Amino acid sequence: MRILFVTSTRIGDAVLSTGLLDHLIRTHPGARITVACGPVAEGVFARMPGRERTIVVTKRALSLHWIDLWAQVAGTFWDLVVDLRGSALGYLVPARRRVVMRGGRRPGHRIGHIAGVLRLDPPPRPVAWFAPEDSVRIAALLGDDQPILALGPTANWAGKVWPAERFVALAGALTAAGGPLEGARPVLLGGPGGAERAMADPVVRALPGALDLIGALSLPEAAALLARARLFVGNDSGLMHLSAAAGAPTLGLFGPTPASEYGPVGRAARAVVAPDGRMEGLSVEMALEAATALLPSPVAV
């Protein structure tokens, strides 16, 4: 069986689509899957089982990137085409079956919209794929079995970024003697590039004992690290979604973006929302309470 899966240009939406892909992998063993996605999301699928090919769709003027993609897939007869971009492409390639997600904003979480294309209810949870070599590199970077508190202090625009001093205060409260993550080592995660580095640097400077991995990991390596994290706390971002997919207890910090649509989805994931819709309105106390609620209760002795 040959499946064409057209998904997002953004990491967060791409991660949310992995649950649907995982469903297809499990229900069609041996299927050969081609994934089309944007450049920054490519790593989400790098370790995916059953992946025959990834086509990286780089945006071009006048939507010419869609013509480029069509030229690469129109010569194949697909058993199933899944188009989560709501484009015309899904109707213009030869296929036995095609499902196209309609565009536009509507109520409900994005994961429900994605699962709806195959009428799956409840929606399958996102997954994070990584390989043994990714785990080996992470083990070498961490060096020991000290518990880690993963922090994601960056986002794709400044309005989604919690103030740096509050990340520092929260990390201190969580890892201090008597805190819920006493002795854990903060690990700072973020994407490549100057903008991410600029957002993270105030936190890096204020936490000299933290491990700074901003821009240092591939997405599969980040997933391998997050699978080991005792807790992740971060802004609304692709990294937040990857953390929840990897199974880490995940707290997403939300202000101007709707948690009802983009909150983290995982075995232990929740969002804490600023009451006034501004990240400055989200207090350390609110975040600490929400983070503590995600952690296992201490065992009485």
Side-chain angles (χ1 to χ4, degrees), residues 39-104:
V40 299
E42 181 181 9
V44 172
F45 310 102
R47 309 300 195 200
M48 186 189 91
R51 181 181 62 89
E52 184 173 57
R53 182 185 181 194
T54 298
I55 300 175
V56 176
V57 181
T58 303
K59 190 172 182 179
R60 295 177 59 195
L62 304 176
S63 295
L64 292 177
H65 49 284
W66 288 113
I67 296 174
D68 293 342
L69 177 57
W70 176 85
Q72 295 184 69
V73 300
T76 298
F77 183 83
W78 302 95
D79 294 285
L80 173 64
V81 174
V82 178
D83 182 1
L84 300 183
R85 297 292 303 279
S87 71
L89 177 83
Y91 302 105
L92 297 176
V93 296
R96 179 169 287 111
R97 183 188 177 199
R98 64 193 86 231
V99 290
V100 179
M101 191 169 99
R102 66 183 179 91

Side-chain angles (χ1 to χ4, degrees), residues 2 10 101 121 123 140-141 154 157 174 178 184 186 193 202 220 244 261 268 275 277 301:
R2 305 200 72 175
R10 299 185 297 181
M101 191 169 99
D121 188 18
L141 287 170
T154 68
W157 56 283
L174 288 168
E261 186 176 355
V301 294

Side-chain angles (χ1 to χ4, degrees), residues 2 204 239:
R2 305 200 72 175
V204 173
L239 186 62

Side-chain angles (χ1 to χ4, degrees), residues 111-123:
I111 195 172
H113 306 161
I114 292 169
V117 300
L118 292 181
R119 300 181 181 179
L120 301 180
D121 188 18

Side-chain angles (χ1 to χ4, degrees), residues 257-268:
T257 51
S260 59
E261 186 176 355
Y262 278 106
V265 178
R267 65 172 184 84

